[in-house]
Structure formats: C-alpha cells, structure tokens
Amino acid sequence: MSDQVQSKLLKRMSTIKHKILVLSGKGGVGKSTVSTQLAFSLALSRKDIRVGILDVDICGPSIPKMLGIDKNEVFTCTEGWVPVKVKLSGDDDDNRLCCMSIGFLLQSEDDAVVWRGPKKHSMIQQFLEDTYWGDLDALIIDTPPGTSDEHITLAEILKESKPDGAIIVTTPQGVSLADVRKEINFCNKLGIPVLGVVENMSGFACPCCNEITNIFSSGGGRKLAEQFNIDFLGQIPIDPQLASCEDEGKNFLQSFPESASAKELENITNKIKKRITLL
Amino acid sequence: MSDAPVDANSTCVGPKSEQAGKASSCEGCPSQLLCASGEGRKEDPAVNQIKDAMRIVKHKFLVLSGKGGVGKSTFSSQLALALSLNDKIISKARQGQAAMDEDEDEDMNVTQVGVLDIDLCGPSIPRMFGLESQQLHQSNLGWSPAYYKDNLAVVSIGFMLPNADDPVIWRGPKKNGLIKQFLRDVYWGDSLDYLVIDTPPGTSDEHITVVQYLREADLDGAIVITTPQDVSCADVRRELSFCKKVNIPVIGVVENMSGFVCPNCKNETKIFKPSKSGGGEKLAEQFGVPFLGRIPLDPRVMNACENGKSIIEEMPDSPASQALLEIVQKVKNQTNHLHQNKTF
C-alpha cells in the first residue's frame, strides 16, 4: 500500500470511533444476522448513536436484503460514495444507520460476482477508502466465511487504524466449532483482539408443544470460549420469526421486542458496548 | 467464440487470438503489453495433465452453493456414502428396512467412490467421515487418499494440517495451486465410478479454478444446495448464474433443512420459511433446471452425519433418508443419461 493510500485510509477511518469485525470460520452460522441485529440494537439503544455496516462478502452479499434496502443504489458525492441509509421506525433522523455493500453496485440481484482474490482485494480497499461514512460511533464489518483474501486484506488495511476487535459467531455443532477454532487462531496470528463468542441457533422451541430441541446440539460456544479464555457473549435461540423478518427486510427488534431472541440480542449488545466502552 | 474477458470492450479480440495486443482495438487497453507478449496463448499444461488423470473417473460432480452452512458438506458426504452402498442395501432401505449382515454378498459389483474437498479454509469433510486423525500419504503413483472403507476414498486439506485448529491463511493463488495438485496428483486407484467434489461457499478462486481444470475433463455437472430461506435463495441464484456463465450443466437443485419435525409432538415447523420466492423448487423452475428434492431437518440425521455414518444405512425409516434415496436415484439417472449422450 502506498503512503498516499495509507494516509487517505487513516483519515477516512479517523471519523469512526469503533470498528468491529464479525467473523466465523463456517458459513451460514449467522454472521450477517448478528451484524445487522447488532447494528440495529446499537442504533436503537440511544438516540445519538450513528452506526454503519460494511459488507465485505463480495460473492454473497446478504446485508442489503436483511436490512430491506436491496433495491437501493449508491450515489457519489465529492467526498466519495454515500452509503445507503436505513430508516428506523419511530425515528425522525434517518441518518443513524447506513450500509455499504457490493449488492448496491450490481445490475441485477442474480448477477454472480465471479472474481478471484486480487479483484476482491481492490474492491474492499475501495470500500474502506472511498465510502463517506461521516462521523460514526461504530462500524460493523460483516465478512464471508473462511480465512482467505477478504480477511487478510481487512487485517492488512485496518492494521494502522486499529480495529476494536472481532466478534466470532458459531453454531453449537462440532463441525462449526472446528472451523471457528481456526478463526480464533487466525485472529491471534494477525493480532486482532477477540471481543467474544456468540452462539447462534442454540435451540428450537416447538411452537406447538414448547419442547426445546437442540437441533444443532448446545453449549459448544461456551466451552469454546472457556478453552480459548475469551468472553462468551450469549446464546441466540433459533427463531423462525427472526428468519422471516430478515427475508422480508423487517426490523426484528422493533417487530418482536418481547421474544427470547430479541432479549438475548439486547444482552449481547450491552456486553459489547461495555467491552468497547461505548456507553 | 472469442475468449475476451467480460469486462473488455466489445471489439476485444481476446488474449488467445493471434491479433492479441496488435489489433487496432487494443490501442489504449491496459492489458495491451501483456496480450502482445503472447502469454495469453500459452495453454496451462496442467489442463491436459488433469484431463489425463481424470480419465479413470466415470462421473464427476461439483456440490455448490452460494451460501455457507446450507449443508454442502453434509450432502456431499451422504451422497458419496449412498453411492457406495450396494444395490441390496439400497433396495432394503427403500422399504424402510436396515439390511442384515448376512445380506452381504462378496462378489457383487462394487461402486468405487471418491470425495474431494476443495474447501481449503474450512474443511469439514474429514469430520463428516470420522477420519480426522488420518493423513495423506505419498507414493510413487501420487498422493494416496484416506479410506473410509474399501470403496470410498477421501481427500481433503484437513489430512495435511499438523494441528486441526491451524488456520489456513492463504490468498487465491496458493489455493489454486493446491487444487491443481489435488486434481492432478491424487492416485484414486485403477478407476472411480463417482467423484464428488465439495466446494466452499461463493463464486471465487476455488470455483473458477476447479471449473477451468475440469471443463476439458468431462465434468458431469453441478448439484446446487439451498435452504428454503429467501436470503439463501438469493445467493443460490447467483450460483446458478455462475454455472450459466462458465457453462457447466446443473444436475439439479436440492433444498436442505426444509422443515423440522419435533421429536416430541411430531408437529412440523418450517424454521426457514420460504416467504416470497417459494424456495428451491421455484428457483429450479425459474432457471429451467431439475429440482431434485427436499431434505427435512432431523436431529438424528445430524448426529449420524457428524459421526460419519450413512443415514440410509443407519436409519432408513427417517423421512430424510427416504428423501435422500430419491435424490440419489435422480442423480444417478441424470448422470447416466448425460454419459450416454456423450458417447454417441
């Protein structure tokens, strides 16, 4: 990276107070869900907090759909790309939650982004360099599964501007935990602090008889956190309502504030806020 | 057909053309010098080497999905296990019965199956077969796979890591190198009837590389996995566009985690509801590709998978096993059909 690029990046990142990565070795464990819900939850927790979400999953961007803004486009101003705003219901200021994703740059939602590493690298660099976030309290960066190009790029680019750390998402299954162990070692190797582990899809309460079944077994996340001596942030149960809210792009926390999943999400958010001293 | 890159201008002659870098339309193109050097006309020798190495394999398919965690590895391993079972077990299982031990017939035709895991950053296949502690060995014939049983061979990067928790922090080119070696240097035996290739999520290096190398080597096609959710279907739509773009046939779409049957009250809940899009079946219809079937969520199945057991063998009465049997049959029919078309 040239010095010019580096200084531009540092300047861009200097208006963002906290930078949080959401990582997982395995796919489909709920990284994007945790990212969006955490962003919502942070923004809803206080009226003067501004949150951004950056989706660096170049080949499978899901964030726009989950936020219900998948039909939007990105505009440019003299300062750079303007991220797409998300309106929170009951909020007059519509400038408190915004998002940047490659999904906004595609012609059709069926378009496959068939790119090798170097092209993904430049796209991510451009996202970080050219997006005009303005002043943000927190930027949540959602990543694809694995420990490859996207992750190495992020770690390299953000090294100077010091991210607060990474939230690791897992399901309780053995297969997922094995991949997540790799991800934690990745963080250690690259010097990214781990903020904690979230266990997603923890158990399913049958809506008919309320019997709780641990479809993907249970408790694995807590054990993992103990093993690596990192914080365990919480367990989010499987909730069909959460899944359908995402499909429809509705705000789950505002639609079902009383559900067990929403409560647990709030809990997790509070722990993270304490951890990064955003109070 | 021109091999011009998709983002080139419309008059691009393509890097393989004799005119590459010299045509009038090349003026001002950033790749002009590279094209003029003739590098683009050089064939990668590995393409032909892999074609040779793959001659012993009758059917090869990719298991793809745009989204992670939808069950690619689970499906790949269960498909391979099902393909490796003999006809007697299969026909018993069709009636929902487990086969007896004395049913084993020594001189029956044995189907040779191989599984290749090209998910290099998150290999789950060793675990799915209960082979975590195995290693790949090198002989003068090539790399020899780990064997789940006599007629089921498995290759994964998981067998090459000194420590299971070690992350593989590799950028694309290094991944491509290893995939090339897997395709070229593994000694699968004298012949294989089926090779199932499990992939990571997405449409990036691993996928481009494997398709590039296998295009010349008679790839049967891809099986695309999705869950019923809209979010997953959106990613899978991209995967189907990818297949179209790189011109590989789609054997069909499988919808996994279709519903959950509560073990207590037997009431079925659609955890991952298809809301607008109608799930996998609708998706297959839209893209004009076959829909192979739905596999419901079943905690027992999950257990069997994590312990490296074939669900068809272990619990033939489960709805998931019956669904899988149907799908395997369809895959077999499809690929045989494809093969007949090819030979004439």
Side-chain angles (χ1 to χ4, degrees), chain B residues 283-312:
Chain B
L283 194 70
E285 206 177 283
Q286 278 167 5
F287 278 83
V289 296
F291 179 67
L292 297 174
R294 301 194 162 81
I295 307 177
L297 266 176
D298 184 337
R300 287 187 305 160
V301 166
M302 196 79 96
N303 257 325
C305 293
E306 283 216 353
N307 294 320
K309 299 264 160 52
S310 164
I311 58 166
I312 292 181

Side-chain angles (χ1 to χ4, degrees), chain A residues 2 11 82 121 161 170 266 278:
Chain A
S2 69
K11 203 176 141 225
V82 183
H121 171 89
S161 46
T170 183
E266 209 186 306
L278 175 76

Side-chain angles (χ1 to χ4, degrees), chain A residues 110 113 115 117 120 147-148 185, chain B residues 165 168 170 175 204 237 241:
Chain A
D110 296 355
V113 180
W115 288 1
K120 292 194 283 193
T147 50
S148 190
N185 283 329
Chain B
D165 296 347
V168 177
W170 288 2
K175 293 194 281 192
S204 192
R237 238 179 255 280
S241 302

Side-chain angles (χ1 to χ4, degrees), chain A residues 62-101:
Chain A
S62 317
I63 297 278
K65 195 174 187 87
M66 288 184 175
L67 291 173
I69 48 173
D70 50 337
K71 296 282 181 293
N72 282 280
E73 278 174 54
V74 164
F75 297 99
T76 44
C77 69
T78 49
E79 291 280 348
W81 281 340
V82 183
V84 175
K85 289 166 188 154
V86 184
K87 181 113 175 71
L88 299 165
S89 55
D91 198 354
D92 320 317
D93 182 5
D94 65 350
N95 205 7
R96 298 210 297 121
L97 182 58
C98 55
C99 169
M100 187 69 202
S101 164

Side-chain angles (χ1 to χ4, degrees), chain B residues 105-335:
Chain B
D105 211 337
E106 286 298 324
D107 50 36
M108 264 178 93
N109 270 339
V110 183
T111 319
Q112 298 288 342
V113 183
V115 180
L116 174 60
D117 179 9
I118 62 166
D119 187 346
L120 305 182
C121 292
S124 316
I125 288 287
R127 204 187 171 91
M128 296 286 183
F129 285 102
L131 294 171
E132 288 112 311
S133 54
Q134 298 278 330
Q135 282 184 327
L136 293 186
H137 295 285
Q138 221 152 16
S139 69
N140 47 8
L141 291 166
W143 290 355
S144 50
Y147 281 88
Y148 173 78
K149 54 184 183 183
D150 284 348
N151 62 335
L152 180 50
V154 185
V155 169
S156 164
I157 195 177
F159 301 139
M160 305 167 78
L161 302 175
N163 179 342
D165 296 347
D166 282 350
V168 177
I169 310 176
W170 288 2
R171 286 195 183 269
K174 213 163 166 185
K175 293 194 281 192
N176 302 336
L178 185 62
I179 293 172
K180 177 160 78 179
Q181 280 185 298
F182 276 162
L183 292 170
R184 189 184 58 192
D185 301 338
V186 170
Y187 176 65
W188 293 102
D190 295 334
S191 75
L192 269 190
D193 294 290
Y194 296 98
L195 179 63
V196 180
I197 304 176
D198 184 32
T199 64
T203 49
S204 192
D205 283 291
E206 294 90 337
H207 312 82
I208 306 176
T209 301
V210 77
V211 167
Q212 217 170 41
Y213 286 136
L214 288 183
R215 201 155 22 185
E216 296 291 316
D218 274 344
L219 177 67
D220 286 66
I223 301 170
V224 179
I225 320 282
T226 183
T227 65
Q229 282 165 289
D230 260 0
V231 173
S232 166
C233 287
D235 281 351
V236 169
R237 238 179 255 280
R238 295 189 197 108
E239 201 70 34
L240 289 168
S241 302
F242 165 80
C243 291
K244 223 187 230 170
K245 220 175 193 172
V246 298
N247 216 354
I248 49 175
V250 175
I251 295 170
V253 174
V254 174
E255 186 179 292
N256 195 18
M257 312 194 191
S258 260
F260 170 68
V261 184
C262 173
N264 183 32
C265 67
K266 306 276 177 259
N267 186 26
E268 189 178 334
T269 315
K270 301 264 181 229
I271 298 186
F272 301 110
K273 265 178 246 173
S275 39
K276 291 171 280 185
S277 62
E281 191 163 11
K282 201 64 176 296
L283 194 70
E285 206 177 283
Q286 278 167 5
F287 278 83
V289 296
F291 179 67
L292 297 174
R294 301 194 162 81
I295 307 177
L297 266 176
D298 184 337
R300 287 187 305 160
V301 166
M302 196 79 96
N303 257 325
C305 293
E306 283 216 353
N307 294 320
K309 299 264 160 52
S310 164
I311 58 166
I312 292 181
E313 222 174 351
E314 294 288 312
M315 45 194 81
D317 58 318
S318 154
S321 304
Q322 291 301 323
L324 184 66
L325 272 171
E326 273 305 302
I327 293 170
V328 171
Q329 194 52 48
K330 279 188 192 164
V331 170
K332 275 186 183 167
N333 292 347
Q334 279 257 7
T335 48

Side-chain angles (χ1 to χ4, degrees), chain A residues 101-251:
Chain A
S101 164
I102 197 172
F104 302 131
L105 307 175
L106 301 177
Q107 301 269 320
S108 137
E109 57 170 350
D110 296 355
D111 276 357
V113 180
V114 188
W115 288 1
R116 287 192 184 269
K119 219 164 161 182
K120 292 194 283 193
H121 171 89
S122 359
M123 187 79 240
I124 293 169
Q125 188 171 334
Q126 204 175 352
F127 275 152
L128 287 164
E129 216 181 281
D130 292 345
T131 308
Y132 175 54
W133 297 102
D135 289 318
L136 282 186
D137 293 284
L139 177 66
I140 293 159
I141 305 176
D142 184 35
T143 64
T147 50
S148 190
D149 286 288
E150 294 89 340
H151 311 82
I152 306 174
T153 297
L154 269 178
E156 270 175 16
I157 295 183
L158 290 179
K159 203 170 175 189
E160 289 293 315
S161 46
K162 300 249 182 307
D164 288 68
I167 297 169
I168 311 269
V169 185
T170 183
T171 64
Q173 285 163 284
V175 171
S176 168
L177 292 168
D179 284 352
V180 169
R181 267 197 282 271
K182 288 189 209 296
E183 201 73 32
I184 296 176
N185 283 329
F186 166 85
C187 289
N188 292 341
K189 246 184 186 162
L190 285 133
I192 303 170
V194 177
L195 295 175
V197 175
V198 173
E199 185 179 297
N200 193 19
M201 311 195 194
S202 250
F204 172 68
C206 174
C208 173
C209 65
N210 276 325
E211 162 102 356
I212 290 185
T213 313
N214 292 317
I215 303 185
F216 302 104
S217 87
S218 176
R222 191 182 289 277
K223 252 188 257 157
L224 183 80
E226 270 166 27
Q227 190 193 338
F228 281 89
N229 200 16
I230 47 185
D231 285 349
F232 183 68
L233 299 169
Q235 281 172 304
I236 309 171
I238 296 182
D239 190 337
Q241 281 163 335
L242 176 55
S244 47
C245 272
E246 283 176 344
D247 277 349
E248 290 156 27
K250 275 200 296 206
N251 183 339

